[in-house]
Every structure is written in structure tokens, then in C-alpha cells.
Amino acid sequence: LADTGASVFAANCAQCHAPGGARTGTIIPQTEVGTDRHRMDMWTTSAATAYNAYGEGRSWKFSNFRHTDGYVAMPHDGLWLTGPFLHNGSVPSLADLLEPVAARPKQFWRGYDVYDPVRVGFVTTGPEAQREGTFLDTSLPGNSNAGHTYGTELPAASKRALLEYMKTL
């Protein structure tokens, strides 16, 4: 199944998320990806300047912070262990990310570290998740789980194969 998923990844995700992909490591405009823009709007040019100045006089000086109008498409190595997903952690699993926005969970608990190998993310419901986690409500400013609709139209079998492949990265 993971081998089949590798083909799905190559056709649908690799351009932005495979090492060496044409858009991997590049800034994808927020207007294209459609994710919550709150974090991007908070990261101003003056904030980037302040962070870059922080290490003045030290050997480890920062120099690459900058304000952009989008988010960087990151390579997906080890992705299975980095949930919740999107830049603001508003989607609990890769299975949820492959669903249309309206079908994604609207509220869940973040921070419980029990892995869900079926949905490829962490357990976000139940008493243990509630005891260990922090509640996330996607209706609040900065918490939207909208956008990144790539792959949401794939057939169910292709989504399942893609999830199996994503576990191997």
C-alpha cells in the first residue's frame, strides 16, 4: 500500500513537499494555499528585523528572518510525527487534512503524545487527551483549519495509500 502511496505522493504532493521538489522550500502565497493568515500578519517586517538583530555581537547571529506573504512549503521527512498539522496546528491528523475543510474537526485536544497510526497524527479525543492536552477551537482567530485543500478530492483508496506512504518518510 505504501508503494502505491508513493505514486500518489509523486503525482500530488512532491512538487511542494519532496526534497528537491520544484516548490519545496519556497514561499507559497497565502492566497493560494488558503490557510489562516493570522500568524503571517503578526510576523511583521519590524519583528523580523528585531529577531535578526538579536544575535548582534555573537557568533551565532540570526540573519534570515523576513516577512513574507505566504508560508514555506516544507519537505515531509518525518511528517508522521509532527502533528497536529498546518502552520498553526489546527488539523489533528493527515487523514483529517485530506478531508474537505467542512469535514475537518472543529475542536480537539492538542498535546497528548499517543500516536494514532491509522489517522497519522496524535490521539486528540477522550479523557486522556483532555487531561494531558490543550483545547483547540478552530473558530477562534488564528486557529482556522481552512486551506491546503490539495488531495481532498482524491479517491478514498488513494488517500489510504498516501497515508501509508507518509508513514515511511
Side-chain angles (χ1 to χ4, degrees), residues 23-35:
R23 298 181 80 188
T24 304
T26 67
I27 296 166
I28 308 300
Q30 185 278 333
T31 54
E32 176 184 336
V33 74
T35 55

Side-chain angles (χ1 to χ4, degrees), residues 68-156:
T68 67
D69 291 322
Y71 295 104
V72 176
M74 301 300 294
H76 279 349
D77 52 326
L79 181 72
W80 62 272
L81 192 56
T82 63
F85 300 96
L86 295 184
H87 67 277
N88 60 357
S90 63
V91 179
S93 72
L94 292 178
D96 294 316
L97 188 61
L98 292 173
E99 293 299 320
V101 172
R104 294 175 183 169
K106 303 298 179 225
Q107 299 176 329
F108 60 95
W109 295 92
R110 290 176 28 166
Y112 184 46
D113 65 356
V114 174
Y115 180 64
D116 179 345
V118 175
R119 301 196 59 74
V120 191
F122 292 95
V123 174
T124 60
T125 60
E128 294 86 5
Q130 185 173 352
R131 184 179 63 249
E132 300 292 328
T134 301
F135 187 69
L136 183 100
D137 181 345
T138 63
S139 71
L140 296 175
N143 288 355
S144 171
N145 64 0
H148 197 287
T149 58
Y150 315 104
T152 60
E153 299 296 323
L154 289 170

Side-chain angles (χ1 to χ4, degrees), residues 44-57:
T44 64
T45 300
S46 61
T49 300
Y51 269 78
N52 284 328
Y54 181 74
E56 280 300 328

